[in-house]
Structure formats: structure tokens, C-alpha cells
Amino acid sequence: MKLHRESKGTITVATILFLVLGALAIYFLKIWSLLIIAPLLVIYCLIFWFFRVPDRTILDHRENVIAPVDGKVVMIKEVEENEFIKGKAIQVSIFMSPLNVHICRYPVSGKVIYKKYHPGKYLVAWHEKSSTENERTTVAVETETNHKVVFRQIAGYVARRIVFYCNEGDQAKAGHEFGFIKFGSRMDVFLPLDTEIICKIGDITKGGLDVIAKLKD
């Protein structure tokens, strides 16, 4: 199983803790140490599972808006996006549980024209205000169809580290990685009002593969 580059520090710390706690349990508890080691092993394996990198064939897209993450669609609504668009947009929000793949992908193809990191709170990721109050990043892409699409990584109650690798001027390719969020979190995508929304609330998405909307060409 291929692991994400963001896993190195977490897995190193987890390995040391697992070995130390396991050794202490064996030394003091003997045969009863299995009561400690078994759940520790489950947690240790879940950490590896969290940082997995699935093998996916990413196609080229022009009008299609691709699911940026694995997760569940929890919101589709018209909102005011005041950071970059400064007007009305359709917000599509996808919630990621700790068991989902947490690679963040470009939802559209085009050119990165804006990026910004915002420190903030750690409200639960499905909270509506998390989009504007939590720790988050905002990226805007001018698409090949001449639309401006904004998307936002949002840290949740558990997530405490967001990374994004893109810079202004970069070429964005729909479905390809631009960042990562550690543990439970959310991604919001803000689309033009005339966008055809294909997904619905409750849909389970696979990042880089599923089409969630279609821009007008």
C-alpha cells in the first residue's frame, strides 16, 4: 500500500509510542498485555489506512467539476462567497470522516489565481459556520471555460493540520492533488450560479473520479 508523504512524522511518532507502550505492557502485565497491545495495534493499523494513496486513473476534464475529496455531500445551497467571488455562488460541501482518503484534489482545470491560509477555530467540520470560522485555506482557479471557481479546505474538530502545495500561476488539473488534510475535515466548492449540479445531498464521492457538477461552456 502506497502511503502519502504527509504520513512520515505521524507514523514515526505512532511507531515509537506503539513499541514503548507495548514493551511496558509486556513487562508489567505479562500475558494480560494483550488487552493493551490489541487495541493499540488496531489504532496503529488505522493510522496507516488513513494515509493510504489509492491508485486512480484521472481523466482530462474541461466543463466537468470533479469531486475534490472522498466523502459525503452534506450541503448544496446558494450562498454569498465574500472572500474572492464577493457575490452569490452555489456551495457544494463534502465531509470527510477519519476513515476517508484525505488527499485534496483540484475540482476543475485551469490556472490558480488566488490562494490564502486562514487561522481559525476547530468547530466540527459539518457545522455551517466552519466554512468561515475554522482554520482553512482558500484557492481560486480560472477555468478553461472562463469561470472562476473557489474551493476551500476546512479543518474539523479533529483535524489540526492543513497543507496545500499550489501557488498562484500554477496550472490546475481536475482530479490531481493540490493538498492534504489530516483527519476529519471538509471541503467546500463554490460554483457559478448557472452551473449544472449533478450530485445530491447524501451522495458518497470518490475524489478525482466522480463528476459533481458541470460548468456552462
Side-chain angles (χ1 to χ4, degrees), residues 13-151:
V13 172
T15 299
I16 294 172
L17 288 175
F18 177 73
L19 293 175
V20 171
L21 293 175
L24 290 173
I26 292 171
Y27 181 80
F28 288 107
L29 300 177
K30 309 302 182 188
I31 187 64
W32 297 105
S33 64
L34 289 175
L35 296 175
I36 301 295
I37 292 175
L40 285 177
L41 183 59
V42 171
I43 295 171
Y44 187 60
C45 291
L46 285 175
I47 291 173
F48 277 83
W49 179 250
F50 174 84
F51 286 105
R52 69 196 183 278
V53 178
D55 185 15
R56 294 179 181 173
T57 301
I58 308 299
L59 304 177
D60 290 332
H61 297 277
R62 178 177 167 84
E63 300 92 357
N64 290 338
V65 181
I66 304 303
V69 291
D70 290 25
K72 181 179 181 180
V73 178
V74 295
M75 183 187 299
I76 303 172
K77 65 183 295 187
E78 184 177 312
V79 299
E80 288 281 340
E81 201 293 307
N82 294 317
E83 180 177 349
F84 181 82
I85 296 174
K86 301 189 186 305
K88 293 185 181 298
I90 300 175
Q91 176 180 334
V92 178
S93 299
I94 301 175
F95 171 73
M96 294 169 278
S97 79
L99 295 179
N100 285 126
V101 174
H102 273 55
I103 295 170
C104 299
R105 306 171 186 272
Y106 289 111
V108 291
S109 295
K111 182 180 179 181
V112 177
I113 56 175
Y114 177 83
K115 62 169 282 189
K116 188 169 184 178
Y117 166 79
H118 302 269
K121 300 178 182 178
Y122 295 97
L123 302 173
V124 289
W126 58 82
H127 195 294
E128 188 169 349
K129 289 186 177 180
S130 66
S131 182
T132 55
E133 295 186 10
N134 276 22
E135 179 185 0
R136 62 200 182 278
T137 68
T138 302
V139 178
V141 167
E142 185 170 4
T143 72
E144 294 176 357
T145 54
N146 297 316
H147 295 92
K148 292 179 174 61
V149 172
V150 172
F151 42 99

Side-chain angles (χ1 to χ4, degrees), residues 151-169:
F151 42 99
R152 188 168 290 147
Q153 297 169 294
I154 302 169
Y157 183 73
V158 178
R160 299 286 162 158
R161 184 164 185 239
I162 299 175
V163 292
F164 62 147
Y165 315 118
C166 61
N167 291 298
E168 292 181 17

